[in-house]
Amino acid sequence: GAVVSQHPSRVICKSGTSVKIECRSLDFQATTMFWYRQFPKQSLMLMATSNEGSKATYEQGVEKDKFLINHASLTLSTLTVTSAHPEDSSFYICSARVPPGEGYTFGSGTRLTVV
Amino acid sequence: KQEVTQIPAALSVPEGENLVLNCSFTDSAIYNLQWFRQDPGKGLTSLLLIQSSQREQTSGRLNASLDKSSGRSTLYIAASQPGDSATYLCAASEGGNEKLTFGTGTRLTIIP
């Protein structure tokens, strides 16, 4: 089936630094990818929709200058958390819609800890 | 705005029992509904996808139903096993913008 590969799975960074998370569709082209954030014991909250070749669409309350999204090719989307702070510590997961009628597939997630 | 709720939030059952997880959504104009499982610290694994025109889908010991008119979906797990322990999430898709709205999840524990 369609697979989305997400890296890194875990990252620890110092406050004030930036972190990049990659999400690749391995055996299909993903015109659109989605980035979610999940706090402990909570459900997934959509942060932004990443569109290949155009600007991302951010959900209300998500700072676009802090969470930079780039979708430069049909198989790669990246999320960069800029000037990270401890409150940005969370679990970030990407997703892509698989071929029509097959729903969505998710990456394995990235646990970000800002110290 | 679509809201998705899952009841119960947590459930513990002895191994071998059949069980039902519930998912409710407020806007019946969904494109499809998908059930996922999430193991601790991991991503999501797709279990079943039900298109808006369908009433149910089955895969092995899992059966998911969809009733758009009442805004409900259920996930039935037969003959539960300890390996079924995980958090189960349902998500409703809006057709126009492809957005998924997730439920609050049910944390399932199967007791050996």
Side-chain angles (χ1 to χ4, degrees), chain B residues 6 9 17 26 29 31 34 36 45 52 61 65 67 75-76 79 81 86-88 100 104:
Chain B
Q6 290 182 247
E17 285 197 3
T26 56
Y31 186 67
Q34 198 164 356
F36 299 89
T45 300
S52 61
R61 295 183 293 108
S65 68
D67 184 342
L75 178 66
Y76 175 82
Q81 303 171 358
T87 295
Y88 289 79
L100 275 182
T104 45

Side-chain angles (χ1 to χ4, degrees), chain A:
Chain A
V3 175
V4 168
S5 176
Q6 184 172 346
H7 295 280
S9 59
R10 190 181 296 268
V11 59
I12 301 173
C13 71
K14 291 185 177 180
S15 186
T17 61
S18 296
V19 173
K20 180 185 285 188
I21 302 170
E22 291 190 350
C23 192
R24 294 180 184 272
S25 56
L26 296 186
D27 47 7
F28 68 102
Q29 293 182 335
T31 306
T32 303
M33 288 191 179
F34 305 88
W35 287 95
Y36 294 84
R37 183 172 181 175
Q38 185 179 33
F39 290 105
K41 297 187 178 181
Q42 295 188 24
S43 193
L44 279 72
M45 296 298 294
L46 180 65
M47 297 175 64
T49 302
S50 165
N51 302 297
E52 186 271 332
S54 65
K55 291 183 178 180
T57 304
Y58 291 82
E59 295 299 299
Q60 189 173 8
V62 178
E63 299 176 59
K64 62 179 181 180
D65 294 330
K66 179 167 189 62
F67 299 99
L68 300 180
I69 291 174
N70 184 283
H71 196 154
S73 77
L74 288 171
T75 59
L76 175 64
S77 176
T78 62
L79 168 67
T80 301
V81 182
T82 63
S83 186
H85 292 284
E87 57 264 32
D88 297 324
S89 298
S90 188
F91 193 59
Y92 295 87
I93 311 178
C94 64
S95 170
R97 188 175 180 183
V98 296
E102 296 183 28
Y104 298 80
T105 187
F106 283 76
S108 54
T110 297
R111 170 71 60 194
L112 171 64
T113 302
V114 184
V115 297

